[in-house]
Amino acid sequence: MTRDPLLTGLAALATDAPDGLLDRIAARWVSVPSPIGELNVAFTDQGIAYVRQGPFREDFRKRFGRPLLPAEKPPAGLVTALRTGRRAGLRVDLRGAGDFQRDVLTATAAIPRGEVRPYSWIAERIGRPKAVRAVGTALATNPVPLLVPCHRVIRSDAATGEYVFGPEAKQELLRAEGADLDGLRELAGQHVFYLASDTTGVVCFPTCHNARRITPRHRHGFRSLAQAREAGYRPCRTCKPAQVG
């Protein structure tokens, strides 16, 4: 294996490096289990920076400009976060992302477990409603999938779309979290993208936990948010539905 010249130079120092210097120059990596198999995870002094399957050291160096060193153990909470999708106090290091991608990832991180949102919702949330395609590109290069749950963002027609670990893994994760993909596709086939309750007067995305509590006799489907508003329904304050398009 070719030695990294930066690490070789550090090893040749006549005196010990100051505390923390190595962590500011290099990153650490571990291999850990996840719901979709073994993952390689790189982390810095600022948090988890990169999550991928298979060989990734060269990709990491090209993307972040840092060499990687093996770690003795994973950061506290990492394995649990990968399994549950809940980061708790686990930090992520998004310094390698641009402003637009950071905005996209921040909005994506707010999607609860078991729920999905369309790409257009992310675009609306970040104030760039016409940037739906750019949102897809930003999510396709998400450096920390699972920790920032880009698998919870799908197409407006309820097709799951692409995913850094493959569409099959995306569906596997969503089903494991309790997302009713078959129900979503059935609704989309009927041109229903929003569900409203005539008891609360609220309209939601179908996977919102509020929408899942609506009983059939009180449930009404709508093709557009504008249509639901015209019928007298107000957007859910929890899932904050935006126009699907």
Side-chain angles (χ1 to χ4, degrees), residues 100-112:
F100 178 83
Q101 186 176 41
R102 276 196 297 271
D103 288 346
V104 168
L105 297 178
T106 298
T108 301
I111 304 173

Side-chain angles (χ1 to χ4, degrees), residues 125-204:
R125 293 290 294 162
I126 66 173
R128 300 282 296 277
K130 296 182 179 180
V132 176
R133 187 179 295 274
V135 166
T137 300
L139 293 177
T141 55
N142 176 8
V144 285
L146 273 75
L147 300 178
V148 172
C150 53
H151 62 279
R152 297 176 191 160
V153 184
I154 67 172
R155 287 171 28 180
S156 58
D157 62 0
T160 50
E162 296 301 318
Y163 185 50
V164 64
F165 297 134
E168 294 81 8
K170 187 172 187 176
Q171 292 191 53
E172 180 182 344
L173 286 168
L174 289 173
R175 292 187 191 281
E177 292 180 352
D180 183 6
L181 298 180
D182 295 331
L184 277 176
R185 290 166 186 158
E186 182 177 348
L187 288 172
Q190 300 167 8
H191 304 293
V192 171
F193 303 103
Y194 303 90
L195 293 177
S197 167
D198 61 21
T199 59
T200 65
V202 169
V203 59
C204 303

Side-chain angles (χ1 to χ4, degrees), residues 3-142:
R3 287 185 61 82
D4 190 287
L6 179 56
L7 297 179
T8 302
L10 286 173
L13 289 174
T15 59
D16 290 338
D19 291 342
L21 175 61
L22 187 57
D23 282 333
R24 292 197 295 270
I25 295 173
R28 308 282 181 172
W29 76 278
V30 288
S31 183
V32 293
S34 82
I36 53 174
E38 203 79 3
L39 294 178
N40 289 323
V41 179
F43 57 97
T44 70
D45 53 327
Q46 298 297 309
I48 309 302
Y50 205 47
V51 178
R52 288 296 186 270
Q53 289 177 325
F56 79 140
R57 298 179 69 173
E58 287 302 315
D59 287 343
F60 181 87
R61 180 62 188 263
K62 290 176 183 177
R63 184 164 178 169
F64 297 96
R66 285 188 175 199
L68 281 172
L69 294 172
E72 293 183 1
K73 60 182 180 180
L78 172 61
V79 174
T80 299
L82 290 171
R83 186 180 72 249
T84 65
R86 300 185 181 98
R87 292 209 316 260
L90 188 70
R91 294 186 301 165
V92 293
D93 183 353
L94 298 179
R95 288 177 296 174
D99 291 343
F100 178 83
Q101 186 176 41
R102 276 196 297 271
D103 288 346
V104 168
L105 297 178
T106 298
T108 301
I111 304 173
R113 180 181 174 86
E115 299 186 23
V116 297
R117 302 287 186 271
Y119 291 96
S120 57
W121 181 84
I122 301 290
E124 290 274 0
R125 293 290 294 162
I126 66 173
R128 300 282 296 277
K130 296 182 179 180
V132 176
R133 187 179 295 274
V135 166
T137 300
L139 293 177
T141 55
N142 176 8

